[in-house]
Amino acid sequence: MQLSLPPQNVHLTYCTNIHAGESWDEVLASLEETIPLLREKLELVADQAFGIGLRLSAQAADSLIIPARLQEFKMQLARLGAYVFTINAFPYGPFHGVRVKEQVYLPDWRDTERLRYTRQCAHILAELLPEDVEGSISTVPGGYKSEAQTAGAQQQIVEQLIAAVAMLAGLEQTSGKCIALALEPEPCCFLETMDETAAFFCGQLWTKDSIARLAELCVCTEAQAARLMRRHLGVCYDVCHAAVEFEDPVSAMQSLTELGIRILKIQLSCALRIPAMHAGMVNELRRFDDGVYLHQVVVHNQDSLQRYTDLPAALSAYQAGQADGEWRVHCHVPIFWDSEEQLGSTRTDLLATLQALRKQGLSSHLEVETYTWDVLPAHLKNESKAHAIARELSFIMKELLT
């Protein structure tokens, strides 16, 4: 949906990665079932278009790129009163019902297959974007940290991202649609913190050598290439991910913006928070260890941060007499959840982000992302998925507009 805020108009949506299904037919079916329900629950008038944050697996993208299917989808969007302005091209393969864990980052930005998949998504989005609307594609933040630290990995990542920018610049020339790639920092990834993200942009992507390589690919001057790099490559800021890192969301985004790094999309999400870890919380936290997703943990103890790649490792450390303090767990919990006394969420960070959005134009693309719905403990999902999505969108709209 398009909302009018004092600094700028913004597009608000939810990410369809909450729905299980890897094939295009499954994606279509979930949209056909969900969008009319959301329009009804949100009481949208007939001419008010509903924005969609479309998650496409590589399998679905390969199907949708076929012109006839794209045309059919355009017709479906018109019938549903909906439009697509952003694509989640982070998870390449299966994302529900099977073990995902660290495999979600593969293929990463060392691999030419990641570039091919992203190109497919970009061409699809160029066909779907309404006139005068810029598009965004969120993607893996380089790769998993341990993989990105192998010999030559970072240079491969840089080269692939330069090629992606050249592709998007060429696509804008031929289609007239501006689409930008948004790297999404995440705990335990190559780009994890905002400091690491800023250092990567300033120290590796915006260097003279990188700009010269882009100028060569785009057959343009280096000054033009520098502008293209900033236009077509930026950041997807996930509030949950940053909260896990104990980062202040508003100051972090302001710092990136001051450097000239675009916040292309903000994913509105909350992480799991335990204000003071104690023995009675061990079994409670085990309920969140679903075996599907990677639940990175960061523990704040006095002035230090301890990082764990997954919840079982953090629980083992605690039982061994370590990991005392406040816990933040990478588990996307419903943003409307009223926290319990000893088990809560990082909603304070989300509220601070929304308050800032009312006053300053941090980003024009806003996406609610609670993809872990299917694996949450039962007491957190005692309603239908469509009703939960509507509650989350209503919560955001109320905070932004009242």
Side-chain angles (χ1 to χ4, degrees), residues 16 22-28 31 52-77 84 86-88 116-117 119-129:
T16 63
E22 303 306 311
S23 73
W24 177 239
D25 287 343
E26 289 172 313
V27 175
L28 273 178
L31 294 176
I52 294 176
L54 188 63
R55 185 255 158 165
L56 290 177
S57 67
Q59 177 188 352
D62 286 342
S63 296
L64 184 55
I65 196 68
I66 297 170
R69 287 185 178 153
L70 263 174
Q71 187 56 40
E72 290 174 359
F73 185 42
K74 288 180 183 179
M75 294 172 63
Q76 183 193 34
L77 289 172
V84 176
T86 186
I87 286 179
N88 184 333
R116 186 204 69 82
Y117 162 52
R119 182 185 297 112
Q120 293 274 64
C121 290
H123 281 267
I124 289 168
L125 185 54
E127 287 291 326
L128 300 176
L129 268 178

Side-chain angles (χ1 to χ4, degrees), residues 204-314:
Q204 297 192 60
L205 289 173
W206 293 353
T207 63
K208 183 174 178 58
D209 288 346
S210 294
I211 297 302
R213 176 56 180 153
L214 180 59
E216 180 183 349
L217 291 176
C218 293
V219 192
C220 66
T221 67
E222 290 189 9
Q224 290 170 325
R227 288 192 292 271
L228 291 174
M229 184 73 85
R230 291 172 184 258
R231 179 172 176 80
H232 292 288
L233 188 62
V235 167
C236 171
Y237 189 93
D238 189 303
V239 181
C240 166
H241 296 172
V244 172
E245 297 290 340
F246 288 86
E247 293 190 337
D248 177 81
V250 178
S251 62
M253 284 188 277
Q254 287 174 338
S255 296
L256 293 178
T257 301
E258 288 168 4
L259 289 171
I261 301 171
R262 297 179 67 195
I263 309 296
L264 298 165
K265 176 163 67 174
I266 300 176
Q267 287 183 327
L268 305 171
S269 51
C270 293
L272 194 62
R273 175 177 179 262
I274 300 88
M277 183 60 182
H278 58 87
M281 292 303 301
V282 171
N283 287 334
E284 183 68 25
L285 282 174
R286 284 202 175 107
R287 298 169 65 190
F288 291 86
D289 181 23
D290 50 68
V292 175
Y293 301 110
L294 201 62
H295 296 303
Q296 303 94 319
V297 179
V298 179
V299 179
H300 185 271
N301 189 340
Q302 297 179 345
D303 294 327
S304 67
L305 295 178
Q306 301 165 272
R307 292 181 169 86
Y308 300 91
T309 57
D310 206 355
L311 186 54

